Amino acid sequence: MQQTRTLEITELKKKAEQMRQDQTQASAREELERQTTFMVENRDLWCEGRRYFIMTYGCQLNENDSERIAGLLEEMGMVAADDVETADMVVLNTCSIRENAAGRFFGNLGIIKNLKRDRPDLITVACGCLMRQEPHVDRIRKSYYFVDLVFGPADIYRLPELLNRRLCDKRPVYEVSNTKLIVEDLPITRKRKYRALLSIMYGCNNFCTFCIVPQARGRERSRKPAAIFKELQELSDASYSEVMLLGQNVNSYGKDLRKSEDYMSFPDLLRHAASDFELPLIRFMSSHPRDIDEDLLRVMAEYPNIERHLHLPLQSGSDRILKTMNRHYTLEQYLKTAHKARELIDDLAITTDIIVGFPGETEEDFQATLDVMREVGYEQAFMFIYSPRPGTLAAKMDQLDPELVKERFMRMTELQNELSRRAMEAQVGREMLMLCEGLSAQRDDRFAARSSQNYLCNFSLRMSQLPERLRQLAPEQLGAVLEGRFARVKITGAKSFSLEGEMVELIL
Ligand code: 5AD
Ligand code: SF4
């Protein structure tokens, strides 16, 4: 009897949650219609034929946001400018994760201030994570009053409406909200024609004590699987070679949908992405060691079109520091996952993020981190000097001497250079399938490509290996043709962070 009642209550709760979600979906659809009306109006009012230039700071999530902003602007008739000097609108999509990103933003605003003196009609937009922090917005208000439009990362879908307000009334518009609404089916202009970024969720619930992201991007909100699958189908139809699924912590994807019919875990989502669409390569970023489970590793092992690469941010190798960082895993748990991943997935590259100089880090803690680096043998690591972010718990803790931290950072970099070089050298002599990215940044007789492990390779080719019609092309034209195509490459040499190779065969 009791059991039936509990079941009934669970069912009722599920229905209530479904109703709430349906209502949210209805408001998202209404919002899309509203914004579409503003888009049509803005086109005639100002946008048609005008040029925009977007500066993106920070991570791939921001890059993806910029692609949505570009999509909206182009839907209103605007076209991309080659540089800021020829633009009618400049958009600065900011990042707040470390202090230098904020510094670069204000530096660039200074440059735009000068530009604006000669061209008062230039519309300046500031958006992204930094706008969620009141002190920065205040600084813009006081010192950079020429900024026309300010909005937060959750407000991108409202760009048509906000721009309309600015165009109709010459006063600046400041709108930074923490709305949870996810508006689907917004237009998007992707930066690359072969690699697509796809955000599967927004925000983060983790509250690592050093990190500003949960404040800047709000709580976790997952897109519904159906919306993600629709986008995957579009990407497959458009013959994209690579899709990168993005989230601050992809392993907690779906947790907020748990009570509704839309629930799906990340391993299941990844499994569907790999098996139901014709997508040659699927990447994902980032995994939180706390939430990762064996199911995910098994899905990775099962599908060859999922990358042989796992980004597993360590942050610190000391349990004491991990605890003050509020990371919710112990070193033992972390190492267990890393070893299991290597055991289950052949030929896997593990990369990581590490913070040096977190408050209270002793030489012993630091040594423990170096030990983990040696034990896991990271193929690559992104190492950061701790940067106190106002509003986070760690910023209030006693800070270390910057000179000491710099010295630790150098020692850590040296070790990682050695580990990366060894990992690269181990690839020499192999033949690997690689996705071409175009002309190499180093030499114009080389082309760049990336392996499933995310190893970068600069390779040469012989004209006789190419189809007749490609042989007359200049290197940059050939680079553009090769972008997004797969090639089999023989690895002939290794540097610290890249490989050298010779093309064996062009595949697609
Ligand atoms: N200082 C330095 N590095 C940071 N990161 C996040 N916040 C900070 C900070 N305050 C790093 C973490 C995270 C990566 C994206 O940025 O290593 O994994
Ligand atoms: Fe920041 Fe931690 Fe969330 Fe990553 S998991 S975004 S480091 S709070």
Side-chain angles (χ1 to χ4, degrees):
M1 181 70 183
Q2 181 64 28
Q3 216 175 6
T4 327
R5 225 179 120 61
T6 318
L7 269 175
E8 271 172 13
I9 292 173
T10 316
E11 241 352 270
L12 279 174
K13 274 191 183 161
K14 225 176 179 173
K15 272 199 184 129
E17 175 61 21
Q18 196 58 48
M19 274 168 71
R20 197 188 62 75
Q21 297 237 356
D22 289 348
Q23 265 170 6
T24 317
Q25 213 169 347
S27 349
R29 271 197 304 269
E30 270 169 32
E31 227 358 273
L32 184 63
E33 275 169 32
R34 236 164 60 78
Q35 297 303 329
T36 308
T37 319
F38 287 117
M39 284 196 242
V40 175
E41 216 176 287
N42 290 350
R43 183 183 272 269
D44 296 337
L45 214 51
W46 185 80
C47 293
E48 182 83 68
R50 304 254 184 192
R51 280 170 293 192
Y52 70 88
F53 187 78
I54 304 180
M55 294 182 187
T56 310
Y57 307 78
C59 66
Q60 279 140 330
L61 283 154
N62 251 20
E63 235 182 82
N64 192 219
D65 283 351
S66 289
E67 293 182 335
R68 294 241 169 254
I69 292 170
L72 285 165
L73 295 176
E74 292 192 11
E75 194 73 16
M76 292 186 265
M78 296 186 75
V79 289
D82 293 332
D83 47 47
V84 69
E85 281 79 19
T86 55
D88 300 294
M89 174 193 279
V90 52
V91 181
L92 297 106
N93 189 7
T94 62
C95 164
S96 56
I97 201 131
R98 281 171 292 275
E99 197 172 349
N100 56 1
R104 275 195 300 133
F105 162 66
F106 282 107
N108 281 333
L109 264 193
I111 298 172
I112 290 166
K113 195 174 190 172
N114 292 337
L115 267 181
K116 189 108 175 177
R117 216 171 284 144
D118 301 333
R119 296 180 33 222
D121 289 344
L122 177 72
I123 289 196
T124 308
V125 181
C127 57
C129 294
L130 212 58
M131 301 305 116
R132 283 294 302 273
Q133 290 176 289
E134 203 45 49
H136 294 302
V137 177
D138 276 348
R139 187 169 164 197
I140 297 175
R141 254 196 208 101
K142 288 195 191 105
S143 312
Y144 304 92
Y145 40 84
F146 59 87
V147 174
D148 299 275
L149 211 59
V150 169
F151 58 87
D155 308 302
I156 291 175
Y157 71 89
R158 290 181 66 202
L159 172 59
E161 175 190 359
L162 304 179
L163 180 61
N164 187 269
R165 228 193 279 166
R166 172 63 186 79
L167 293 173
C168 296
D169 172 359
K170 296 289 171 210
R171 275 176 306 179
V173 176
Y174 284 68
E175 276 281 348
V176 183
S177 83
N178 58 359
T179 172
K180 291 187 168 55
L181 203 64
I182 299 180
V183 178
E184 294 292 353
D185 298 322
L186 291 177
I188 184 161
T189 301
R190 296 191 195 272
K191 199 167 146 196
R192 299 182 200 86
K193 62 176 189 200
Y194 62 94
R195 173 181 300 143
L197 304 175
L198 193 163
S199 298
I200 59 167
M201 61 194 295
Y202 306 98
C204 180
N205 285 359
N206 277 312
F207 291 97
C208 301
T209 54
F210 52 80
C211 187
I212 195 70
V213 166
Q215 289 167 54
R217 292 201 167 247
R219 297 300 90 80
E220 277 168 14
R221 285 150 289 142
S222 303
R223 289 178 66 194
K224 297 203 168 154
I228 296 171
F229 294 153
K230 182 168 174 258
E231 203 171 339
L232 285 172
Q233 189 57 55
E234 285 161 7
L235 294 170
S236 163
D237 293 344
S239 303
Y240 270 83
S241 306
E242 182 185 306
V243 175
M244 182 175 263
L245 307 177
L246 295 173
Q248 299 293 348
N249 172 13
V250 289
N251 299 115
S252 64
Y253 171 79
K255 281 188 181 161
D256 54 323
L257 303 175
R258 213 166 237 170
K259 289 191 215 136
S260 79
E261 286 163 4
D262 294 303
Y263 173 68
M264 188 176 280
S265 69
F266 182 62
D268 282 342
L269 185 86
L270 190 60
R271 183 180 286 118
H272 279 292
S275 63
D276 300 355
F277 307 90
E278 276 180 36
L279 292 164
L281 186 58
I282 298 171
R283 299 192 187 276
F284 60 94
M285 173 103 39
S286 276
S287 286
H288 193 301
R290 160 199 190 167
D291 296 307
I292 196 163
D293 58 23
E294 216 176 293
D295 201 14
L296 174 75
L297 304 178
R298 293 197 183 278
V299 174
M300 288 178 75
E302 189 179 341
Y303 292 94
N305 58 339
I306 300 178
E307 62 174 336
R308 289 311 177 236
H309 168 220
L310 182 64
H311 187 66
L312 202 58
L314 169 70
Q315 313 300 2
S316 168
S318 148
D319 274 337
R320 203 177 58 83
I321 296 292
L322 285 174
K323 207 165 172 97
T324 359
M325 285 178 163
N326 196 31
R327 290 290 289 175
H328 295 281
Y329 52 84
T330 62
L331 189 56
E332 193 188 333
Q333 288 162 334
Y334 181 94
L335 288 173
K336 205 170 142 201
T337 305
H339 290 309
K340 194 83 202 166
R342 290 233 193 259
E343 179 195 317
L344 291 177
I345 308 162
D346 279 346
D347 208 9
L348 180 74
I350 304 185
T351 59
T352 198
D353 292 344
I354 305 178
I355 294 180
V356 188
F358 184 80
E361 183 191 75
T362 61
E363 179 61 26
E364 203 181 317
D365 296 320
F366 177 68
Q367 285 296 338
T369 307
L370 299 186
D371 286 344
V372 180
M373 291 169 71
R374 287 186 199 101
E375 179 167 346
V376 179
Y378 294 113
E379 277 72 6
Q380 209 186 333
F382 299 93
M383 295 158 286
F384 308 103
I385 286 185
Y386 170 67
S387 162
R389 305 314 295 132
T392 60
L393 272 177
K396 297 192 197 100
M397 300 174 189
D398 286 342
Q399 305 296 314
L400 298 188
D401 169 14
E403 287 307 311
L404 175 86
V405 178
K406 253 189 238 159
E407 186 268 332
R408 281 185 191 162
F409 184 75
M410 303 266 279
R411 275 192 280 156
M412 180 175 283
T413 314
E414 227 168 85
L415 170 61
Q416 186 52 47
N417 286 353
E418 175 60 22
L419 293 174
S420 295
R421 197 177 50 78
R422 257 190 253 161
M424 294 297 102
E425 276 168 1
Q427 312 305 319
V428 176
R430 291 182 63 183
E431 222 176 84
M432 299 177 101
L433 188 65
M434 299 232 167
L435 177 59
C436 301
E437 297 190 336
L439 200 61
S440 155
Q442 296 165 348
R443 282 171 50 175
D444 70 2
D445 59 346
R446 295 280 169 105
F447 299 90
R450 241 168 237 282
S451 73
S452 171
Q453 296 80 358
N454 211 23
Y455 299 146
L456 175 67
C457 176
N458 291 301
F459 68 94
S460 59
L461 52 78
R462 279 172 283 116
M463 283 300 155
S464 59
Q465 293 175 304
L466 298 175
E468 197 76 45
R469 67 195 157 83
L470 299 182
R471 292 185 194 164
Q472 307 310 321
L473 296 180
E476 29 327 335
Q477 289 170 315
L478 185 55
V481 173
L482 292 186
E483 261 182 36
R485 300 177 70 159
F486 284 88
R488 207 174 295 289
V489 178
K490 167 114 184 178
I491 309 302
T492 53
K495 294 186 170 173
S496 274
F497 303 105
S498 64
L499 300 167
E500 313 257 291
E502 287 166 7
M503 189 175 89
V504 177
E505 188 192 1
L506 189 60
I507 309 271
L508 281 168

